[in-house]
Amino acid sequence: MSHILYKRFSLKIFLTIFSFVSGIIFISRVFIVEIFKSKFDILYQIYKEEGLITMIFSTRNQSIPNDLIPYIREKWTWVNFLFGGSNFHIARTEIEIIDLFWFFGLLGGAIYIYLIHGILIRTFTENIELRIPMLFLGLCAVFAGSFFTNAPVIPYFVVLVFQLKFTFNR
């Protein structure tokens, strides 16, 4: 019974804080837009001309219809859909989840993600305090470029996982 009350109480606190922050953002949206215009003028212009998604990805999403799809139509066979294949020196999207598919294919990408999750994340995140930063880092990595496909980044990622585990297990 106390566990249910704890969950409901935590949910109420979360919803209260979320509603308060959302209300503040909604009320001060004009102020936020003005700050955004003055500090990030180029991104604001991209937002006005191309839309929110293009602004968030800093125009990297445009390489999907311009580079990825023509490359796949011209050069890929069914084997590439399973195991990937691209010349990253010529073109890449720099959106990690799409580059994983482009580089490793469906089967290779699924195996890669399974290994990263199984070996690094699941093994070293028994602690709830470690799951939140790892989830945040994973979400950032999915939309960033060259995180999992860049060889020097993986050792830093492993060091981060070990450091977080050491810090939170003290």
Side-chain angles (χ1 to χ4, degrees):
M1 181 69 176
S2 64
H3 180 67
I4 294 170
L5 290 174
Y6 174 75
K7 278 191 165 192
R8 287 184 185 217
F9 184 69
S10 297
L11 181 63
K12 285 182 182 180
I13 290 174
F14 170 76
L15 290 175
T16 303
I17 292 171
F18 181 77
S19 299
F20 180 73
V21 170
S22 297
I24 295 292
I25 290 172
F26 182 75
I27 291 170
S28 62
R29 69 185 180 276
V30 173
F31 182 68
I32 292 171
V33 167
E34 289 303 317
I35 290 175
F36 191 75
K37 279 185 199 178
S38 66
K39 300 291 183 189
F40 306 104
D41 185 52
I42 293 172
L43 288 175
Y44 183 73
Q45 292 302 321
I46 292 171
Y47 168 70
K48 283 176 47 180
E49 295 169 12
E50 303 290 333
L52 180 65
I53 299 296
T54 302
M55 182 202 72
I56 290 171
F57 286 110
S58 301
T59 70
R60 291 176 291 147
N61 65 318
Q62 293 175 346
S63 64
I64 296 169
N66 297 338
D67 298 329
L68 175 68
I69 294 174
Y71 186 88
I72 288 174
R73 284 185 178 156
E74 182 181 323
K75 301 189 180 198
W76 272 27
T77 65
W78 67 272
V79 175
N80 294 106
F81 281 98
L82 289 177
F83 302 109
S86 175
N87 188 348
F88 271 1
H89 299 292
I90 294 173
R92 63 188 311 162
T93 63
E94 294 189 23
I95 301 172
E96 193 63 22
I97 195 74
I98 295 171
D99 283 346
L100 277 174
F101 164 71
W102 199 355
F103 188 75
F104 292 116
L106 291 172
L107 185 61
I111 291 170
Y112 188 87
I113 290 171
Y114 175 77
L115 290 174
I116 288 291
H117 180 267
I119 293 171
L120 290 177
I121 298 171
R122 189 176 36 168
T123 303
F124 299 113
T125 57
E126 301 90 18
N127 203 338
I128 188 67
E129 290 89 3
L130 288 175
R131 288 185 189 150
I132 294 168
M134 295 305 289
L135 177 66
F136 182 72
L137 179 65
L139 287 173
C140 290
V142 164
F143 295 110
S146 302
F147 187 82
F148 291 117
T149 55
N150 189 350
V153 173
I154 295 299
Y156 290 119
F157 180 65
V158 171
V159 168
L160 173 68
V161 170
F162 279 114
Q163 181 61 40
L164 286 172
K165 181 176 180 170
F166 177 75
T167 300
F168 283 109
N169 285 338
R170 280 184 164 186

